[in-house]
Every structure is written in C-alpha cells, then in structure tokens.
Amino acid sequence: MKIVHNNFKDISRLAGLDTVVVNVTCRCGDDLYIGSDNGLYILDKNYQIKSNKVVEMIGESRVRCIIQDRNGVMWICTYGDYGLIAYDPKTEQIKYYNESNGLYVNKVRMIKELSDGRLAVSTSKGLVIIKDGEIADRYNEANGISNTEILTIEETPDGRIYLGSDGDGIYVVDGTKLTRISKNDGLTSEVIMRIKKDPVEDVYWIISSNSISFMRDEKVFMIKKFPYTNNFDLYFDDSDNMWVLNSNGVYIVKKSEMLANKDIDYVLYDIHSGLPYIATANSFSQLDPDGTLFISGSSGICCVNINNATVDNSKIRLGIPSLTVDDKYYGVGNSKVIHIPSDCKRLNIYANAFTYSLNNPHISYQLEGFDDEKTTLTKNELSPISYTNLKGGTYTFRFSLINTMTGNTDKSVEITIIKDKAVYEEVWFYIILIILSIVTLLLIFLLIYKRRESYFLRKQRENQKLINEMTLAFSKCVESKDEYTNGHASRVAKYSKMFAEKMGKKPEEVEHIHNIALLHDIGKISIPDSILNKPGRLTDEEYAIMKTHSQRGYEILKEITIAPDLALGARYHHERIDGRGYPKGLVGDEIPEIAQIIAVADTFDAMYSTRPYRKKMKLEDVTAEIKRCSGTQLSEKVVKAFLELVDEGVFDNDNTN
C-alpha cells in the first residue's frame, strides 16, 4: 500500500453527509449551500453541518438550483411545494414565489441574475422575469415558447437572453421579440443542457444531449473530435483549459484545440484517478474566485482547484517486464534484445506504466516494422499487446508516456525483438522459387507453343493438300477443254517447279509455284471452243479474244484469299521483259517473279511438245531459241536456271510428246 496525492477532496466524507444526489453547490460567504434531492444542507468553512430557518423549512424537498444575488439574497429553486424561495441570510427573511403569486408552476428548475439586476427564472411551464422583487414578465406558449422546459439560461452583453430548451433548441428573447436557434443553424440536438458565455472569446459554449458545440454570431459549430458525448457542464481555468463534467468523469482539454476543431488531447479524471463522485446530470457546481470547483455529484460533493491541479508524469515508471511466445514465458529484465523462434504464432507483450498515483496517464505503443502507426490509450485501457503473423526479421517495440496537455512524449522505453527467419523467408529461398517459377512458366509456354505449332502445321498441311487437290482439279478442267494442249498445264507446272528449285527457292515456295503454274491458263475456260480449238490460224479478232484469257484467269482466281498469289501467274505469264507483252505491258522486274518463271516454262513446253499443227522441236533448237529470247521476251535469271538444267542433261530423256 502507498499513500499518494489526490487532486480531489471528498467534501461529503469530511462533513459526514449521507449518500445523496447533489443538484447544486453555491457559496454564501464562508458557508457552502448544497441543494440535493433530499433537501438543503449548509456547511461552514470547516465543513461542519449547520442549519438555519430555511433549511428547517425546506425539509426534504428537492432543491434544483441556488444563487446569491448582488444584494446577498439567496434564491433557492425547489421542485415541489415551495416554488422559488428568496432568503436573506442577514435578516433571515423569507419570501415565496409560487403558483399563488405569479409563477406558472411550483417546479422551479433554474435561476440566473441578469446584468441589470433582474432575475430570470425557469419553471417547467415557462420563463418568469423578477424585477425589484416582483414578477415583471412571463414567457410561455403564448409568446412562442412551444417547449416550456427550460434547462439553461445565459445572457448576452446586449441584453438578449438565451434559453436552452428540453427539445426545441435555443430560444432567443430580445424584449418582446422571440426567435429560435435549431438544427438548421448547426445544432446536433435540440436538447440543450447548458449554455455558457466564454470569459475571453466572443463565443458561447453549448452542451447538448449528444455533443459540445460553440456558437458565434448565432451559428453553431459542433466539436467533431471531443472524446465523449454525455456531457453536463463546463468551466474555465486560468491556463486556457476547459474542465468538462460528464457521466465518465472530468475531461480537461485546451480551449484553443476545441476552437480549432481538430485533434484534441485531454486528461481524464475518473473514479480510477481519484474523482470521488461523478457529476449529476443538469446540475450546477460552485466555482470560487481562487479556482476551487465544488462538484455536485450523483452521490456526494467533492472539490478540486482547477487552477492548481497538476498532472505529474515525472514519477510514472514505464516497464516491459515480460512477453510470451505462444505458451512460453520470456522475462525481459535488463535485456534490450529478445530473440524469438521462427515458428512463433502469437507474441504477447506485457507493458505497464507504474504510476504510484491516482493518475490515468495516456500512453502509446508501436511495434516498428509491423504497426503502421502508434496506438494511444489510457493506462486503465491497457491490456497485453498481442501480435500474430509476424514475419522473420528485426522489430523495435516502443512504449511511451504522452503528456496530454502538450502532446509530447515525456518518456519512453523500448526493446528489440528479433524473430528468426523460416526457410521460406530467406532471400535464397525466394531466388530459387523465382527461378523455378520462371523455368516452369517457360516449360508451360514451350509446351503450349509446341502444341499450337503442331496444330498449325497440321492445319497448314491440310490446307496445302486442299489447295493442291483443288489446283489439280481446276487444271484438269482447263486441259479437258483445250484438245490441242492436253497435259500442257501439268508440264508447265513441272518445269516451273524445276526452275524454282534451281533458283534456290525453299521447298514450300517451290510447292506454291507449282500450284500457281498449274492454273496459269485457267482463263481459257472462258474462251469459246470455236476459238480455243480452231485448227487453223486465228484472225486478229480471235487472237484478241484469246489474249483475254490471262485477265479472265486473274478474275477467276483473285477471290481465293487463302492463296492470293494464285492469280499472279494467270495474269502476267504473257508479259515480256521488254514490255511488249500483255495484258499490262509490264517491264523487267515489274513482272512478278512467279510469272517470269511460268513464262519460260510455258515457252519451253510450247516448243518442246507436239501440237496438232506441228511436231515437237529438237532440244538444241529449243535451247537456242530460248537463249535468243533471253533479256527481251524472257527473264535472264530464269533462262540461266533453264540452261543449267539443260547442261545437266535433265531434259535428255524427257518423253514429252
């Protein structure tokens, strides 16, 4: 056990008062008047109970509010038979104000002395103004006060009166004029517990049923980050602090932070930090000129000097005595570094602030390397701090004491926690994993590529087979129509293939050239049989028609998009290098190479095969003629390939008719 300083003095215990709900405390000279649910008490300066005529008269009637006016008269608001009592302590004269002489009702909730000496009295049925001891004015439903339960009264410097109602916001009384401040003006609740003029700032503080606000020019601004909602009253000390009484205790906050309406640091006094009694809702507490506040509590009276109360953090000692890893205990002692195993599932850190006082300080903690930000709470809220899913690595646990009035850190302790890394957390493990993943992906892609390549090759072979078969079929159709050139297309295709191979073309190109050559005369299908199979010489007109077979062949084949080059051989195989061919009169390399190859093959077959009108020419004569046409009618490079084949004896055993 340790005896420690307490900022609060338990007046009820010192005076020997029974447990009682206190509604008001009021100073009268050296005496303290106490209004409760069970009557009126008076304590002298030594906190001894005393009595007088008015105490005996009131008996156990409920007392809600007491003030002493500028003339020394005590005004006592009772909530029962006696109504409002005016008691002069010097003469012990008593005067009553009740239903019989002008009050709306005997239930009197509050009284306030106005700047001109008048008294504003709130009853459960409306407001009454007393002037020179007589009732002068009355305000109720007839004046526009629809909610006559007035909980609080405040006066402005220009003489207007603010009335806080029990559900209809704030009424503003300006002589005979009455207006209202409501949620439309910023109130969050229209139940107004207290209105107080700030002693320095040009604002009025408002405590409603769910928030604290301040009012400037009758516009209300809610305090967004005040830490508590069920508040009753507030007072101002000499250090720009506000003391807010509520159902949780007493919060001390900086007024400047309240007006800034941003983050608010606070000190909380509650039953854990020496506050003997929680304030009574809608009560009135005496604040002496020296700063002593006599708090009207729900079960007694206590006092604190709000100008001298201090929060001393110098004697608070921070410590991190131990931690547990799963079920294993680790004593910290003087150690600064703690190693924990890699298989740790849950880490519990036991930190504490040893106050040796009634303070309930604010503390913060952070596991640097895991927590993104600090956690701030009070000592009483602190419990073992638990972490799961910690990765292997080094962490710093920092435990700090926060000065709530400055926001600074007064002191701090820390330990370093090193969790061993599991195999799967090592860098080399990730490198191997990445390499294996890359290799696996490459193998998958390779397999997919191979399968797709195999599929496309198979489709290509199938398409090529289809093209070959269609080309051969069309070629036979042409040959069946021209009785004089039977087999010509096949031979031209064979020779074109030979020339292409000699020219170094790839196998797929050679196959393609063969198919194009097969269809080089497909346009003859459109030539009339009378011209195509005429045994004699063609007339100029007939020859002109015959020449159209190249363009007509192009028109037939150009729609075959799967092999667009098929149409080139049909269209250009009668073009000449010197530009004297048809149908376009192309010159040199303007002629597609495939057409140049077919032209040589076509010329060779025309001379080296038997026709109805002449016999097959000798190879040496054909060769000489082709040499002669090289560079004018025929392509030199294709003729060169032909001559090399001749030299190789390829055509020596050719049985072409």
Side-chain angles (χ1 to χ4, degrees):
M1 180 179 293
K2 183 179 179 68
I3 298 175
V4 297
H5 173 71
N6 186 359
N7 287 316
F8 295 89
K9 183 183 293 185
D10 189 341
I11 304 298
S12 290
R13 184 180 60 81
L14 292 174
L17 291 175
D18 295 332
T19 299
V20 64
V21 176
V22 178
N23 298 312
V24 60
T25 55
C26 179
R27 177 69 73 183
C28 178
D30 290 334
D31 294 337
L32 181 67
Y33 278 58
I34 301 165
S36 75
D37 279 358
N38 303 101
L40 177 66
Y41 299 88
I42 301 176
L43 303 181
D44 64 17
K45 63 181 180 181
N46 297 316
Y47 302 123
Q48 298 299 307
I49 299 174
K50 60 188 293 188
S51 184
N52 61 19
K53 184 177 178 181
V54 74
V55 171
E56 295 172 356
M57 182 200 70
I58 290 174
E60 295 186 357
S61 295
R62 187 180 186 190
V63 178
R64 294 300 305 267
C65 183
I66 306 172
I67 68 167
Q68 185 178 33
D69 68 16
R70 65 189 65 185
N71 298 316
V73 176
M74 305 298 295
W75 294 84
I76 303 168
C77 302
T78 69
Y79 217 65
D81 297 334
Y82 296 103
L84 176 64
I85 301 172
Y87 170 66
D88 188 339
K90 296 178 182 178
T91 64
E92 291 196 332
Q93 290 182 347
I94 297 175
K95 184 175 181 179
Y96 301 96
Y97 297 83
N98 52 36
E99 294 178 20
S100 65
N101 60 359
L103 285 188
Y104 288 119
V105 66
N106 290 345
K107 293 182 177 180
V108 183
R109 184 181 289 274
M110 177 186 178
I111 184 169
K112 179 176 179 64
E113 185 177 19
L114 303 179
S115 57
D116 59 2
R118 293 180 300 159
L119 297 165
V121 182
S122 108
T123 73
S124 61
K125 294 295 183 180
L127 179 72
V128 172
I129 302 295
I130 297 177
K131 181 178 181 181
D132 299 329
E134 303 297 331
I135 294 176
D137 293 299
R138 291 151 49 102
Y139 299 87
N140 61 4
E141 293 96 334
N143 307 94
I145 300 178
S146 57
N147 189 318
T148 57
E149 286 280 358
I150 304 302
L151 306 181
T152 182
I153 303 170
E154 184 59 283
E155 184 186 19
T156 68
D158 59 4
R160 289 177 299 150
I161 302 173
Y162 288 138
L163 306 178
S165 72
D166 191 20
D168 201 31
I170 301 172
Y171 297 110
V172 184
V173 179
D174 187 1
T176 59
K177 181 182 176 183
L178 185 100
T179 56
R180 191 169 74 91
I181 299 170
S182 65
K183 285 186 176 180
N184 294 333
D185 302 295
L187 290 177
T188 59
S189 168
E190 294 189 348
V191 176
I192 309 301
M193 309 287 290
R194 190 73 78 241
I195 304 173
K196 279 195 173 179
K197 175 73 173 72
D198 190 283
V200 178
E201 305 290 337
D202 187 22
V203 298
Y204 293 83
W205 295 94
I206 300 170
I207 296 180
S208 67
S209 63
N210 62 7
S211 68
I212 298 179
S213 307
F214 65 88
M215 181 170 63
R216 180 182 284 120
D217 298 327
E218 297 191 355
K219 286 291 184 182
V220 182
F221 304 90
M222 186 189 78
I223 305 300
K224 298 177 181 178
K225 295 190 177 182
F226 191 79
Y228 200 67
T229 58
N230 192 24
N231 303 295
F232 304 145
D233 205 346
L234 53 85
Y235 298 88
F236 306 91
D237 66 17
D238 292 341
S239 302
D240 193 38
N241 299 320
M242 297 171 63
W243 291 60
V244 182
L245 279 55
N246 52 49
S247 62
N248 196 35
V250 181
Y251 283 83
I252 308 173
V253 295
K254 280 194 170 295
K255 183 171 65 176
S256 57
E257 292 182 358
M258 295 279 279
L259 290 170
N261 213 352
K262 295 181 180 178
D263 291 334
I264 297 173
D265 292 317
Y266 64 89
V267 172
L268 170 63
Y269 285 113
D270 57 13
I271 59 174
H272 302 290
S273 50
L275 179 66
Y277 310 110
I278 298 297
T280 305
N282 206 33
S283 63
F284 301 90
S285 298
Q286 169 70 36
L287 179 61
D288 282 353
D290 66 352
T292 301
L293 178 66
F294 293 87
I295 298 174
S296 302
S298 58
S299 57
I301 315 159
C302 62
C303 71
V304 60
N305 191 298
I306 63 176
N307 292 332
N308 297 329
T310 59
V311 177
D312 185 8
N313 286 339
S314 62
K315 297 180 181 180
I316 297 176
R317 184 167 65 86
L318 302 181
I320 308 172
S322 64
L323 50 85
T324 59
V325 176
D326 298 328
D327 294 328
K328 186 177 180 181
Y329 171 85
Y330 285 73
V332 175
N334 295 323
S335 301
K336 296 296 183 181
V337 180
I338 303 294
H339 285 266
I340 61 176
S342 61
D343 60 353
C344 167
K345 298 295 187 296
R346 178 180 294 275
L347 170 67
N348 289 324
I349 300 175
Y350 296 85
N352 209 338
F354 303 96
T355 60
Y356 303 107
S357 71
L358 293 173
N359 290 349
N360 184 21
H362 280 66
I363 55 178
S364 71
Y365 66 83
Q366 182 179 17
L367 185 61
E368 297 174 2
F370 185 83
D371 292 328
D372 293 330
E373 58 186 21
K374 297 177 181 178
T375 298
T376 302
L377 68 172
T378 64
K379 174 187 179 299
N380 293 337
E381 296 170 332
L382 184 64
S383 60
I385 304 159
S386 183
Y387 293 96
T388 58
N389 300 319
L390 282 178
K391 296 180 180 179
T394 301
Y395 304 89
T396 298
F397 181 78
R398 197 178 307 279
F399 187 58
S400 304
L401 177 65
I402 306 300
N403 188 317
T404 51
M405 302 312 295
T406 66
N408 298 326
T409 299
D410 280 353
K411 58 182 66 176
S412 181
V413 295
E414 63 183 54
I415 59 170
T416 299
I417 300 172
I418 302 175
K419 182 182 179 183
D420 297 333
K421 290 185 177 181
V423 172
Y424 56 82
E425 293 179 316
E426 297 291 349
V427 174
W428 58 263
F429 177 83
Y430 283 101
I431 294 174
I432 293 174
L433 189 62
I434 291 171
I435 293 173
L436 290 176
S437 299
I438 293 173
V439 171
T440 302
L441 288 173
L442 289 175
L443 290 175
I444 292 172
F445 287 141
L446 181 61
L447 179 61
I448 293 172
Y449 173 77
K450 288 294 184 182
R451 288 186 176 180
R452 291 181 65 84
E453 182 183 41
S454 175
Y455 169 78
F456 285 123
L457 288 175
R458 186 174 71 254
K459 292 296 292 183
Q460 186 179 24
R461 288 193 296 268
E462 291 173 356
N463 291 338
Q464 189 61 50
K465 182 179 179 183
L466 178 61
I467 292 171
N468 294 344
E469 291 174 349
M470 290 176 62
T471 303
L472 184 59
F474 282 129
S475 175
K476 289 182 178 179
C477 289
V478 176
E479 291 185 346
S480 66
K481 183 176 175 65
D482 187 354
E483 60 187 46
Y484 294 129
T485 58
N486 188 27
H488 170 69
S490 299
R491 292 192 298 274
V492 170
K494 181 182 73 171
Y495 297 146
S496 296
K497 182 177 180 180
M498 294 167 62
F499 298 162
E501 289 174 341
K502 196 65 180 174
M503 292 169 70
K505 303 295 182 184
K506 295 179 180 179
E508 57 270 20
E509 290 183 89
V510 172
E511 188 67 27
H512 189 49
I513 291 169
H514 177 268
N515 288 334
I516 295 173
L518 275 174
L519 298 178
H520 77 285
D521 273 342
I522 194 171
K524 289 183 178 180
I525 292 176
S526 63
I527 303 300
D529 291 348
S530 60
I531 296 175
L532 186 63
N533 296 316
K534 184 178 180 179
R537 182 180 178 84
L538 299 178
T539 65
D540 290 345
E541 292 80 5
E542 291 172 335
Y543 183 63
I545 293 173
M546 177 64 77
K547 289 169 61 178
T548 63
H549 79 278
S550 59
Q551 182 62 31
R552 292 182 179 184
Y554 170 75
E555 296 296 333
I556 293 170
L557 298 174
K558 69 178 183 178
E559 302 299 333
I560 303 176
T561 57
I562 195 172
D565 292 346
L566 283 176
L568 298 179
R571 191 179 198 186
Y572 299 118
H573 70 278
H574 282 296
E575 297 286 355
R576 292 169 53 108
I577 299 300
D578 57 12
R580 295 169 60 191
Y582 63 88
K584 295 293 185 179
L586 302 180
V587 178
D589 288 338
E590 292 178 356
I591 305 168
E593 187 179 48
I594 178 61
Q596 296 178 26
I597 294 172
I598 294 173
V600 176
D602 188 42
T603 302
F604 175 65
D605 184 68
M607 293 185 289
Y608 199 57
S609 61
T610 300
R611 303 290 175 93
Y613 48 84
R614 63 160 175 78
K615 292 183 178 181
K616 171 183 176 181
M617 294 174 62
K618 293 181 179 180
L619 180 60
E620 56 269 25
D621 295 335
V622 173
T623 303
E625 181 63 18
I626 289 177
K627 282 183 179 180
R628 186 183 68 79
C629 295
S630 178
T632 54
Q633 178 182 341
L634 303 175
S635 166
E636 291 180 344
K637 61 182 179 181
V638 181
V639 170
K640 180 176 180 294
F642 163 73
L643 294 176
E644 289 176 358
L645 291 171
V646 171
D647 291 341
E648 293 171 5
V650 172
F651 304 110
D652 290 348
N653 298 317
D654 194 326
N655 296 322
T656 304
N657 292 324

